[in-house]
Amino acid sequence: MDATSARQRLEQMLAELDRSIGVLRGDPVAVRERSAADAGSDLSDADRAEAMLTVATAHRRAVLDALKRLDEGDYGRCVDCATPVPEGRLEARPEAARCVQCQGKRERRR
């Protein structure tokens, strides 16, 4: 993927993530009379929203890191082994920082 296309896609992803994060951080629903079941449901919704916020924030950080790699001329190279990240991987995940092998190793260590 050429640098211009990558930057365009990454900036679009960043804008979408910023909108999503804004919605997830939005004002809480006004307090109203609730049953115990409603309170439990609200807690579950809050937990789900917090988990989604955590994922979106991590994804945003990955996109910002990819934009930084573009600026520094390192985009498309694995941050661990410096080999080229396959074009198909960058097409699917423009924010990808690692080649498939290094990403697999990292995930197995978790």
Side-chain angles (χ1 to χ4, degrees):
M1 171 182 312
D2 67 89
T4 303
S5 297
R7 181 173 304 281
Q8 233 173 7
R9 286 191 59 201
L10 289 165
E11 288 175 350
Q12 181 182 8
M13 290 172 74
L14 185 61
E16 290 170 6
L17 285 164
D18 284 343
R19 278 191 297 275
S20 295
I21 289 169
V23 168
L24 289 168
R25 287 186 177 155
D27 290 39
V29 176
V31 177
R32 62 183 184 275
E33 198 172 308
R34 300 182 181 131
S35 70
D38 289 339
S41 175
D42 288 346
L43 180 58
S44 177
D45 290 345
D47 290 342
R48 194 171 12 263
E50 185 62 34
M52 290 173 23
L53 182 59
T54 299
V55 169
T57 301
H59 193 190
R60 184 181 191 280
R61 191 172 22 256
V63 170
L64 289 172
D65 290 346
L67 286 166
K68 182 178 178 186
R69 288 192 304 278
L70 259 170
D71 292 340
E72 294 172 348
D74 295 327
Y75 182 78
R77 293 233 167 250
C78 177
V79 297
D80 292 342
C81 70
T83 62
V85 175
E87 186 73 21
R89 179 160 170 76
L90 291 174
E91 286 290 330
R93 301 209 42 146
E95 76 280 11
R98 291 173 179 80
C99 65
V100 176
Q101 293 80 13
C102 289
Q103 184 64 38
K105 288 177 193 174
R106 181 179 180 158
E107 289 174 4
R108 282 190 296 276
R109 282 185 282 192
R110 289 184 181 177

